[in-house]
Structure formats: C-alpha cells, structure tokens
Amino acid sequence: MCLCNNFRTGSLLNEDKIKRLKRVLTFNNFTEAMIFTQNVADLAEKESHHPTILTEWGKVTVCWWSHKIKGLHLNDFIMAAKTDQL
Amino acid sequence: MCLCNNFRTGSLLNEDKIKRLKRVLTFNNFTEAMIFTQNVADLAEKESHHPTILTEWGKVTVCWWSHKIKGLHLNDFIMAAKTDQL
C-alpha cells in the first residue's frame, strides 16, 4: 500500500563527514506518515539494517548509511530503493 | 510500558528561531525505539498535537512546539510531560 503523494526526492547527503542516502516522502496527514514509518521500520528489522527515520505531520525523511564503514555500502542503495517501493 | 533506560534528557531548543521542547530517550534496540515512537504517535493523534519524532537504533528524539504561534504554548509542556510518562 503506497500512501505517499507524488512528491518524492532522493539525494546524497554529506552530514558529519558521512555520506548518507536520503529519501523524503510526503503524506496527507500524520497517521499516513506514521504507517509509512512503521513499514520502513519493519523492512529495517527484516534486513537487520537500520536507518534514521524522521516522522512529521505529512512527511517522513529516511536516511540510510552503514555505521561500520561510516559511509555508503551497496546495501544502503538497495535499502533506499526498497524504501521507494514501500 | 516503559522500555526506556535511565538516560533521559529534556531541553529547550531554539531551532530556526522557533523555541521547541526536546526529549531524548534511549532504548536497547531499534524495535523498542519504534514501539516508543508508535506510543508518541498515538498520543499525538489523541491530542491532535503533533511533534517531530526522530527514530534511530536505540534512540528516539521528540520535539514539541506549536506551529501556529511558531513557539511554545502551555500545551507543548503538557505533551512533553506526557512523553516522559509514556
């Protein structure tokens, strides 16, 4: 079930000298944003790879990176792609 | 059910010239952090007042403020206190 609107951005962040993959998705309200947050969390648990998830009214920002290597691994790109598919 | 550890901080933020009440809570893993996130979201929906919630592995950061007045209202202090009680 995709509750997101058409507005969807993906970008490469460099925060605290660590490259991260960022996804920003917008929703119609807080509940829909929270459902998406839970879906991302379920995916993260399933894959044992955890992002940061910022949940706001109508908006969720997901950042993926690999803590061990303090940067991006192929797995992060896969997880970002899976986030898009949710 | 309180899954949080003893580490708990509350602070007054001034971000983008808007005063916000921030709560940082730590947990044993991502799942516990996500359960807390859901509890905060349920509280927010119940009270029709929505914070930003940053969910990470073992950590949740909740920020409360009133969008309409671009600052803090009594309600934000109540919501922050209720966050502590979760």
Side-chain angles (χ1 to χ4, degrees):
Chain A
M1 178 174 53
C2 181
L3 295 163
C4 56
N5 295 334
N6 289 327
F7 177 68
R8 177 180 289 186
T9 62
S11 59
L12 188 65
L13 265 188
N14 201 325
E15 206 175 275
D16 301 329
K17 295 182 183 173
I18 296 173
K19 281 182 184 152
R20 303 160 201 254
L21 287 177
K22 180 173 148 184
R23 290 288 183 277
V24 181
L25 299 107
T26 58
F27 301 89
N28 294 317
N29 50 46
F30 191 81
T31 300
E32 287 186 7
M34 196 55 215
I35 289 170
F36 182 76
T37 295
Q38 186 63 61
N39 287 344
V40 173
D42 291 344
L43 170 69
E45 278 297 291
K46 188 180 159 196
E47 305 279 348
S48 292
H49 192 52
H50 303 91
T52 60
I53 314 172
L54 178 63
T55 312
E56 303 171 72
W57 195 98
K59 185 177 168 188
V60 179
T61 306
V62 186
C63 285
W64 294 99
W65 76 97
S66 293
H67 301 253
K68 269 189 191 170
I69 60 169
K70 292 185 179 176
L72 292 172
H73 183 267
L74 174 62
N75 201 23
D76 297 299
F77 290 90
I78 293 169
M79 295 304 279
K82 286 188 176 180
T83 303
D84 289 341
Q85 286 171 359
L86 282 178
Chain B
M1 176 174 50
C2 180
L3 295 163
C4 56
N5 295 335
N6 288 327
F7 177 68
R8 177 179 290 186
T9 63
S11 59
L12 188 65
L13 266 187
N14 200 325
E15 207 176 273
D16 301 329
K17 294 181 183 174
I18 296 174
K19 281 183 186 152
R20 303 161 201 253
L21 286 177
K22 179 174 150 185
R23 290 290 184 275
V24 181
L25 299 107
T26 58
F27 301 88
N28 294 318
N29 51 47
F30 191 81
T31 301
E32 287 186 7
M34 196 55 214
I35 289 170
F36 183 77
T37 294
Q38 187 63 62
N39 287 342
V40 174
D42 291 345
L43 171 68
E45 277 297 290
K46 188 180 159 196
E47 305 280 348
S48 293
H49 191 52
H50 303 92
T52 60
I53 314 172
L54 178 63
T55 311
E56 302 172 71
W57 195 99
K59 186 177 167 187
V60 179
T61 306
V62 186
C63 284
W64 294 99
W65 76 98
S66 294
H67 302 252
K68 269 189 190 171
I69 60 169
K70 292 185 180 177
L72 292 171
H73 183 266
L74 174 62
N75 201 24
D76 297 300
F77 290 90
I78 293 169
M79 295 302 279
K82 286 188 175 179
T83 303
D84 290 340
Q85 285 170 1
L86 282 177

